[in-house]
Amino acid sequence: MPTIDQPAMRFVRMSPNLLNEDIERPTIESVEVKIFSPARSIIDAFRQERLVGRNLAIESLREALRRRQATPGDIANMAERRGVWTKIRPYLEAMTADA
């Protein structure tokens, strides 16, 4: 595992299958980069809740919905596939109940 002093980082190990799913490939300054989709990032925040904190996971969900970066359906489907549906469901339902 790499050792980096700045900025503060934490590394999480993932299986190759998990690491290569739900990736987007935008071009930034003529270079194609791989990033996780917004829905995937939210699900990962809930999966790694003890590392990032529940408040950050909830805030990422709230902001993605507010900015329409991911639909509730996309988030729900991915949460079910990744095994965090029971964890994210109450928050997702509460945030989409007003809509």
Side-chain angles (χ1 to χ4, degrees), residues 47-62:
R47 287 183 77 230
Q48 301 296 330
E49 185 180 330
R50 71 181 192 286
L51 294 177
V52 300
R54 181 174 291 168
N55 289 340
L56 182 61
I58 294 168
E59 187 61 26
S60 68
L61 173 61
R62 180 180 291 117

Side-chain angles (χ1 to χ4, degrees), residues 24-96:
E24 296 179 353
R25 291 175 171 82
T27 301
I28 300 173
E29 295 186 10
S30 303
V31 176
E32 184 181 275
V33 295
K34 293 181 182 180
I35 59 171
F36 290 128
S37 68
R40 167 69 189 268
S41 297
I42 293 163
I43 298 310
D44 285 346
F46 277 90
R47 287 183 77 230
Q48 301 296 330
E49 185 180 330
R50 71 181 192 286
L51 294 177
V52 300
R54 181 174 291 168
N55 289 340
L56 182 61
I58 294 168
E59 187 61 26
S60 68
L61 173 61
R62 180 180 291 117
E63 280 299 304
L65 292 172
R66 185 182 70 77
R67 294 180 183 187
R68 297 179 184 203
Q69 293 173 323
T71 66
D74 291 341
I75 296 167
N77 289 335
M78 192 169 299
E80 205 165 300
R81 288 194 333 251
R82 300 279 183 249
V84 293
W85 176 236
T86 55
K87 201 182 273 191
I88 198 171
R89 181 180 179 186
Y91 302 107
L92 186 59
E93 288 178 349
M95 290 179 197
T96 58

